[in-house]
Amino acid sequence: MYTLLTLMLMTMTLSIIMMFTCSMISKTSKKDREKMSPFECGFDPKSSARLPFSIQFFLIAVLFLIFDIEIAIMLPIMLTMKWTMNSTWMMTVIMFIMTLILGLYHEWNNGVLEWAK
């Protein structure tokens, strides 16, 4: 018990010392407007450094993640079929799939899946 406590204390102390040392070493000189501005070969930039982000792409990516996680959840459901009652198992699977289908319908109904307008 004391060994574990000592090890944790040493780890925390070493981490704090390293963070303090890094913060002291990485101190930059004066932050003025010229040094903080974007730089293109010594000339002023011709366009903004920030590019517009497509919210449509973001929504499609989130939808992909939802259905990707669905597959990760569906695999253990198939394995538990052996150990549960068929009626309970079927009801759980049907409710899970219906929730996903309703979510997909909602996304489709709101026009998220239409890429070009």
Side-chain angles (χ1 to χ4, degrees):
M1 177 70 180
Y2 290 114
T3 308
L4 183 63
L5 188 61
T6 306
L7 185 63
M8 287 175 54
L9 187 62
M10 286 175 53
T11 305
M12 290 292 291
T13 306
L14 184 62
S15 298
I16 290 171
I17 289 171
M18 288 178 67
M19 287 187 330
F20 181 72
T21 305
C22 288
S23 68
M24 293 305 289
I25 291 173
S26 69
K27 291 288 183 188
T28 58
S29 61
K30 291 183 182 178
K31 293 183 179 178
D32 60 353
R33 200 174 89 136
E34 292 296 322
K35 288 185 179 179
M36 298 301 291
S37 65
F39 184 71
E40 278 186 22
C41 302
F43 300 102
D44 289 333
K46 293 183 179 182
S47 63
S48 174
R50 302 210 181 257
L51 298 175
F53 183 73
S54 171
I55 192 71
Q56 199 73 22
F57 174 76
F58 176 74
L59 292 174
I60 294 290
V62 168
L63 194 64
F64 170 75
L65 285 175
I66 289 171
F67 283 103
D68 193 38
I69 291 171
E70 168 206 356
I71 292 173
I73 292 174
M74 289 289 281
L75 289 174
I77 287 177
M78 298 304 162
L79 294 175
T80 59
M81 184 178 169
K82 296 178 189 176
W83 299 295
T84 59
M85 296 186 321
N86 278 344
S87 60
T88 307
W89 184 85
M90 283 298 287
M91 195 64 177
T92 304
V93 170
I94 288 172
M95 287 182 64
F96 181 73
I97 291 175
M98 285 303 295
T99 303
L100 288 172
I101 289 173
L102 286 173
L104 181 63
Y105 174 73
H106 178 71
E107 295 286 330
W108 193 347
N109 197 23
N110 285 338
V112 172
L113 300 177
E114 295 179 22
W115 190 260
K117 291 183 180 183

